[in-house]
Structures are given as C-alpha cells and as structure tokens.
Amino acid sequence: MEKIKIEIDIPQDVIISVNKSTKEFSEDIKKVMAVELYSTSKLSLGKSARLAGLCKEDFIKYLSDKGKSLFNWDEEELETEIQTIEKLLKE
C-alpha cells in the first residue's frame, strides 16, 4: 500500500516533557488521530486500526482503554438497534 509522509513540527521540549522518543511520540499521534477519525465516523474501524498501526482486535482494545465506544450511535440509531433486537428475540 502506498503511503504519504506528513511532517509536523513539535517543540523539542514537548517531546522531552512526555519522556518519549520521537518514534514513540509519532506512534502516539497516529493512534490519537485514528481514535478521533473513528469516533467522528470519518474512518472505518479497519482503516482506523491500520492508521494506528494495530490489528482490529488491538484497536478495539485500545478504544476501550481510552474510554471510547466501539459504537458511534446517536440516540435514534441506538433505539432502532434495540427495537430490531427485541423484534428478533420475539421471533
């Protein structure tokens, strides 16, 4: 798969303050972006996991560790899902 390199300037004192190598910091940024893009429904689970450098299972665990839901449903979508499940259970 083709990749695009994106560069951002981070003050050195920030990297030092978080006590991480530039590689670790870069990996953290990708994970944070993956969570944000998944949470806002801009990327699928698979693409978000790939951006984060994780398999889907590990990305789901990472979401959970960060207190993020795997499901990004609003109230209406949740109600529809509940009604569908209730209907299926009655059959």
Side-chain angles (χ1 to χ4, degrees):
M1 173 190 319
E2 189 175 334
K3 292 187 179 185
I4 296 173
K5 184 173 186 151
I6 296 175
E7 291 186 35
I8 58 172
D9 295 323
I10 306 291
Q12 185 177 12
D13 64 320
V14 171
I15 304 290
I16 292 169
S17 294
V18 296
N19 197 30
K20 294 192 177 215
S21 69
T22 54
K23 183 179 182 202
E24 290 171 320
F25 195 78
S26 176
E27 290 169 357
D28 286 352
I29 288 172
K30 287 193 273 185
K31 287 177 183 172
V32 167
M33 283 305 304
V35 169
E36 176 64 20
L37 293 170
Y38 179 72
S39 296
T40 57
S41 301
K42 295 205 167 72
L43 282 183
S44 68
L45 179 67
K47 287 183 181 178
S48 297
R50 209 166 53 221
L51 174 59
L54 302 170
C55 67
K56 285 182 187 178
E57 183 180 305
D58 288 343
F59 185 67
I60 290 169
K61 183 175 180 339
Y62 184 79
L63 285 172
S64 176
D65 291 347
K66 296 300 176 187
K68 298 291 184 174
S69 175
L70 176 60
F71 304 103
N72 297 317
W73 296 339
D74 60 27
E75 265 187 62
E76 185 178 322
E77 290 171 312
L78 181 58
E79 184 61 35
T80 300
E81 292 299 318
I82 290 171
Q83 288 174 4
T84 301
I85 292 168
E86 287 174 345
K87 182 180 174 184
L88 290 171
L89 290 174
K90 289 179 183 177
E91 293 178 356

